[in-house]
Structure formats: C-alpha cells, structure tokens
Amino acid sequence: MPSPSAQPWIAADSTRCSPEEARQPITYAPEAYQSGDLDFVITLKGTGGEAALAALGFIRKGDFYRHPRSLFLLEFPSGPLAVGDDLVKSWSTVRRDAEVLYVLSPTDSCRDRLASFLFWNDFSGLEQALAVFHARREEVDLKVIEDWCRRERHSQKFGLFASRIDAAL
C-alpha cells in the first residue's frame, strides 16, 4: 500500500489538488499503467445524487462525470463489485487522517487488469497485470488468480501469464 506521504488521495479529493498531484492516484504499478477514470461502486438510495455531484461542479457526460479541475472522470458502474464472475468480498484500506479509501487488493487489481486479456484478448491488460504482480508480488496470491482463470475457462491464458512471470524472475 502506498505510504500516506505518497499522497494516494486523488480519488477522494481530485478537484482540490494540483495537476502534478492529480497524476499520482492510488495505483500498484504507476509506471506501467494509469487509467483516466475513477470507478465507484456504490448504492445510492433515493434521488439527489446527480444534484449533489452538480453542486460540487461535476458535469455529466454520458456514463461519466467530469470536473473542470480534475484530470479524472468519475464513473459509477452498477454493483455488486466483481472481477469476472467473482464478487469482491474484501479490499485494501488506505487511510489519511480521518479520510478512508477502500481499493481493490493487489490480487484483485491484478485479476481486474488480467480480465481484459482473458475476455477481450487485450494484451495491454496482460502487461498491466504483470506490472501489478511485479510491483506487489508479496501481496498477490497467484493461486487465487489461477483458480479464478480456471473458473472463467481461461486456464491457457493463465499459463501465458505464469510463464511471463517465470521468465522475468
């Protein structure tokens, strides 16, 4: 997990930071990949979510929300949070003072990146999964990833992933 001094709070306050800080979101392999959106899987009860975002300066653009002072788009995909067919039941917690941010674990982040390779043959997803693994190898559970790939019927693609890990070690 990034240290608090690394300012991993861009997801929580991306409209209140400098452009330089906005390029430092929470990520397990920042040199390899950085998406341009922040996904929040939440359940809103009642109405008013749209108005609350508008009051903060966000403008809806299709499925995303933009803020003129943020480099990132906000997206609220419908839940529950899952990687492939696996529901995400645990996560990593990052804290700064009274602020708390829940993020995918390194294992689930690796699976999330690998999913684009499994389901859409996106080799950049394979490279991103490898980068997450190498950046956080002590925290990534390869057995969980292997079992998940088997359940998703992509054991052969896990074999390629594992061979690329072995080749780099």
Side-chain angles (χ1 to χ4, degrees):
M1 192 60 53
S3 69
S5 62
Q7 295 189 340
W9 301 102
I10 305 313
D13 58 10
S14 64
T15 64
R16 298 183 304 182
C17 59
S18 70
E20 292 74 30
E21 291 172 320
R23 291 183 183 90
Q24 301 172 19
I26 292 178
T27 183
Y28 293 117
E31 64 286 342
Y33 175 75
Q34 178 177 315
S35 73
D37 69 322
L38 303 169
D39 296 341
F40 295 92
V41 180
I42 61 173
T43 301
L44 295 175
K45 297 195 190 263
T47 58
E50 190 94 22
L53 287 170
L56 293 170
F58 287 92
I59 301 163
R60 186 174 189 155
K61 301 282 186 182
D63 292 337
F64 297 90
Y65 293 85
R66 285 193 163 279
H67 192 284
R69 294 184 53 214
S70 178
L71 299 175
F72 299 97
L73 301 172
L74 296 183
E75 183 180 10
F76 298 93
S78 59
L81 180 59
V83 180
D85 286 335
D86 282 5
L87 293 180
V88 174
K89 297 177 183 171
S90 63
W91 46 85
S92 295
T93 303
V94 182
R95 299 177 190 278
R96 181 182 70 182
D97 301 324
E99 296 174 321
V100 178
L101 187 62
Y102 301 108
V103 297
L104 291 176
S105 69
T107 298
D108 285 339
S109 180
C110 198
R111 291 193 309 161
D112 178 66
R113 297 294 80 221
L114 194 57
S116 62
F117 173 59
L118 267 60
F119 305 130
W120 302 291
N121 292 314
D122 179 357
F123 277 82
S124 68
L126 172 62
E127 296 302 322
Q128 294 156 15
L130 288 164
V132 170
F133 174 81
H134 289 299
R136 298 292 183 159
R137 79 174 40 135
E138 299 300 321
E139 301 167 78
V140 174
D141 188 334
L142 280 177
K143 182 68 174 144
V144 167
I145 296 171
E146 181 179 20
D147 290 346
W148 170 71
C149 287
R150 180 186 41 75
R151 287 191 308 278
E152 298 287 347
R153 295 182 170 78
H154 288 286
S155 294
Q156 189 172 12
K157 288 184 176 178
F158 175 80
L160 177 59
F161 175 69
S163 72
R164 295 281 304 274
I165 289 171
D166 292 340
L169 296 178

